[in-house]
Amino acid sequence: MNDDLVPSRLSPADVLRVGAVGLRARRARVVLSALGIAIGIATMVAVVGLSESSRADLMARLDRLGTNLLTAEAGKDATGRRIQLPENAVAMVERVGPVLHATATADVDARIRRSDVVPDERTAGVTTQAARPDLLTALGGRVAEGVWLDPARERLPATVLGAVAAERLGVARTGETIMMNDIRVVVVGILEPIELVPTLDRVAMVGFPAAERYFGFDGHPTTVFERSTDASVEDVRAVLARTISPGDPAGVKVSRPSDALAAKAATDEGLTTLMLGLGAVALLVGGVGVANTMVVSVLERRQEIGLRRALGATRGAVRLQFLTESLLLSALGGAAGALLGAAATYGFARVQGWTAVVPPWSLAGGLGATVVIGVLAGLYPAVRASRLHPTRALQAV
């Protein structure tokens, strides 16, 4: 009749219940062990989330600013002297078929001072440039206060300051005056920061006619800005230098300002990889902590294991019990870490003014990693527990 006896098997619900009992009996140790897993998962989820949020914000900025802006600057010739772009450079560029808009700025030899009592050498790091009335439209810039140079104001001793220039000169509102050489010029506008061309933030801009009339400007532009259709940017880029300076195209430097933002995205991606590596190290340390907890748990519960074995529990049931405890412990840390990482992402993104993005795959990947860690960390303690002989285990003190 004994041949008909079949060892009973634990149902999945019983396995979970038995594993949870083992964790509840050692709550402080469980919390500390799960904390290592939680830190690792939170780091990885937050790093991915913040990287994706930053990238989404960057892409939104690029969409808003446009990636079809090209700049052509006067370079230097073989002797090291700066070449001159032709006065009709803008008109020449506008004749290129795909070009939608072209404008220019030019360096002006005028020293900036806050007032006539400031020494000539105290320029506050602000330079002067001539600008066309259509410059702001081409660059997608905006006026923070006052007005931009229109066809009337571009002929007068009036200036529009970049955001940094206004701060350095201590100009807080329009209507104030500054000195350009020995000429008092009225500030008619202050710009918001120009993301695509940040060098203009440190410039005081006057109109081309005013620069020629008051500061001896010769009319040759220094930088030409061009916008074309998105599909033709590279084609225009290839011919822009030859169009502006047919005799010396090598002396014209052509660039796309949005490339700097794209390079920033690539740098952020490299930093994300580094931070993910640090998160993986933290997760590994957490896994070692779980394994250590489970080994100590086996040593402390030898009598419990021996009693279960004496009552008929199979080695497989014992292995399953301790493996379940390890999985539950890792899952507890993983779930807490995923929530903490998501919360950190949303909090930081809100402070930065970004749209928070937490990819679902990062949460799923984090929880999946905890399952793997739980299995690896609990496998050895579970096997060790199943190999304890009932008699020796019951004799343990």
Side-chain angles (χ1 to χ4, degrees):
M1 183 175 292
N2 291 338
D3 294 337
D4 296 333
L5 295 177
V6 178
S8 62
R9 296 182 180 275
L10 293 175
S11 66
D14 292 332
V15 172
L16 291 176
R17 191 178 298 110
V18 171
V21 168
L23 296 182
R24 286 199 299 268
R26 298 161 182 81
R27 295 181 181 180
R29 187 183 302 167
V30 166
V31 171
L32 293 176
S33 299
L35 185 61
I37 297 288
I39 291 174
I41 295 299
T43 301
M44 299 178 74
V45 170
V47 166
V48 173
L50 292 176
S51 175
E52 291 298 319
S53 299
S54 174
R55 189 172 292 109
D57 178 72
L58 179 58
M59 292 302 104
R61 287 165 56 196
L62 284 174
D63 289 341
R64 184 179 71 253
L65 298 172
T67 58
N68 60 344
L69 177 68
L70 294 177
T71 65
E73 297 182 81
K76 296 181 180 179
D77 59 18
T79 63
R81 296 179 58 186
R82 190 167 190 175
I83 70 168
Q84 277 192 330
L85 301 183
E87 291 186 47
N88 63 340
V90 172
M92 296 168 66
V93 172
E94 287 177 335
R95 287 197 288 266
V96 178
V99 172
L100 301 176
H101 200 129
T103 186
T105 60
D107 292 339
V108 176
D109 186 16
R111 299 177 67 84
I112 305 290
R113 292 178 294 157
R114 181 63 180 87
S115 68
D116 53 3
V117 299
V118 177
D120 288 344
E121 62 273 10
R122 296 284 298 276
T123 62
V126 178
T127 58
T128 307
Q129 287 193 4
R132 291 164 54 108
D134 57 355
L135 177 69
L136 215 58
T137 301
L139 301 183
R142 292 182 293 184
V143 178
E145 183 176 344
V147 295
W148 175 243
L149 299 170
D150 56 25
R153 291 184 178 87
E154 70 170 345
R155 301 178 179 276
L156 302 174
T159 183
V160 175
L161 300 179
V164 177
E167 181 181 352
R168 288 180 177 179
L169 290 171
V171 177
R173 59 184 181 274
T174 58
E176 299 186 30
T177 61
I178 61 174
M179 299 298 296
M180 289 186 175
N181 291 343
D182 294 325
I183 299 176
R184 190 175 297 277
V185 179
V186 178
V187 178
V188 297
I190 299 174
L191 299 180
E192 293 184 1
I194 301 177
E195 293 184 83
L196 284 180
V197 192
T199 54
L200 294 180
D201 293 342
R202 299 182 293 276
V203 170
M205 284 163 275
V206 297
F208 269 66
E212 294 175 0
R213 179 178 180 181
Y214 298 106
F215 307 112
F217 173 54
D218 59 7
H220 291 273
T222 306
T223 304
V224 175
F225 301 94
E226 174 276 332
R227 281 193 185 272
S228 58
T229 59
D230 292 334
S232 60
V233 170
E234 293 303 324
D235 293 335
V236 174
R237 191 175 191 172
V239 302
L240 191 58
R242 292 197 301 271
T243 301
I244 294 174
S245 181
D248 187 15
V252 179
K253 299 184 295 182
V254 178
S255 62
R256 182 160 56 171
S258 58
D259 287 346
L261 294 178
K264 179 179 179 298
T267 302
D268 290 344
E269 186 174 349
L271 181 61
T272 298
T273 302
L274 174 61
M275 294 303 294
L276 282 176
L278 295 177
V281 171
L283 187 59
L284 178 61
V285 172
V288 172
V290 171
N292 181 66
T293 297
M294 296 309 300
V295 169
V296 173
S297 179
V298 170
L299 294 176
E300 291 179 344
R301 299 161 64 187
R302 293 179 65 186
Q303 288 185 325
E304 174 192 334
I305 296 170
L307 181 59
R308 288 199 62 205
R309 292 282 284 119
L311 293 175
T314 62
R315 288 186 175 183
V318 174
R319 281 196 300 268
L320 186 59
Q321 173 190 349
F322 283 90
L323 194 58
T324 300
E325 286 189 26
S326 178
L327 284 171
L328 289 175
L329 179 55
S330 296
L332 178 64
L339 291 175
L340 183 61
T345 299
Y346 278 95
F348 189 82
R350 184 172 182 178
V351 170
Q352 294 294 321
W354 301 341
T355 299
V357 178
V358 180
W361 64 262
S362 66
L363 298 176
L367 295 177
T370 61
V371 173
V372 174
I373 290 293
V375 171
L376 295 179
L379 192 58
Y380 170 72
V383 171
R384 180 170 179 173
S386 67
R387 290 180 176 177
L388 287 177
H389 194 278
T391 304
R392 293 180 179 177
L394 289 171
Q395 292 176 346
V397 178

